[in-house]
């Protein structure tokens, strides 16, 4: 009984984290409200794991990520994932704008 409960709890936590860090579509291709506003994109798609002020939570602190990674390196992480971050949370032009915005955070 304890094993089943533990497996259920771990499964639920995993689904919650993956759902919070991903989902949605690339709104830059379908005219959504997010297109062009990297701060809003990050707020809606990344804050669950990286915190509302990018201070870190489940994911790392991103407040000065531009001093560690270039725009291209950040874009690569967004596209391909890294560590516990899933690939493709943001895509297309939205990903490029977010990478540029984050790269300026030094």
């Amino acid at each position: 009984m304890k094993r089943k409960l533990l497996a259920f709890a771990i499964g639920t936590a995993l689904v919650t984290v993956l759902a919070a860090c991903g989902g949605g579509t690339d709104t830059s291709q379908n005219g959504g409200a997010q297109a062009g506003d990297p701060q809003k994109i990050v707020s809606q798609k990344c804050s669950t794991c990286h915190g509302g002020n990018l201070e870190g939570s489940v994911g790392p602190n991103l407040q000065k990520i531009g001093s560690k990674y270039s725009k291209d390196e950040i874009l690569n992480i967004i596209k391909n994932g890294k560590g516990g971050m899933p690939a493709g949370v943001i895509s297309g032009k939205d990903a490029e704008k977010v990478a540029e915005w984050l790269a300026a955070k030094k």
Side-chain angles (χ1 to χ4, degrees):
M1 180 68 175
K2 287 183 181 181
R3 278 187 170 176
K4 288 183 181 180
L5 184 58
L6 180 61
F8 177 75
I10 291 172
T12 301
L14 181 61
V15 168
T16 302
V17 167
L18 291 176
C21 290
T25 59
D26 179 6
T27 56
S28 66
Q29 295 175 355
N30 60 14
Q34 292 179 12
D37 187 352
Q39 188 170 4
K40 185 177 257 187
I41 296 165
V42 168
S43 176
Q44 292 179 352
K45 297 206 174 202
C46 309
S47 64
T48 301
C49 295
H50 294 286
N53 295 313
L54 304 178
E55 73 277 8
S57 180
V58 175
N61 182 318
L62 300 178
Q63 292 175 332
K64 295 183 180 181
I65 196 68
S67 62
K68 183 174 182 181
Y69 296 113
S70 70
K71 175 189 171 196
D72 290 337
E73 290 170 321
I74 294 170
L75 184 58
N76 182 53
I77 293 169
I78 292 169
K79 287 181 176 180
N80 299 309
K82 182 175 180 179
M85 181 174 160
V89 173
I90 308 167
S91 60
K93 291 184 182 189
D94 284 351
E96 291 177 30
K97 289 178 182 189
V98 167
E100 183 176 354
W101 184 72
L102 288 172
K105 299 201 165 293
K106 300 184 184 210

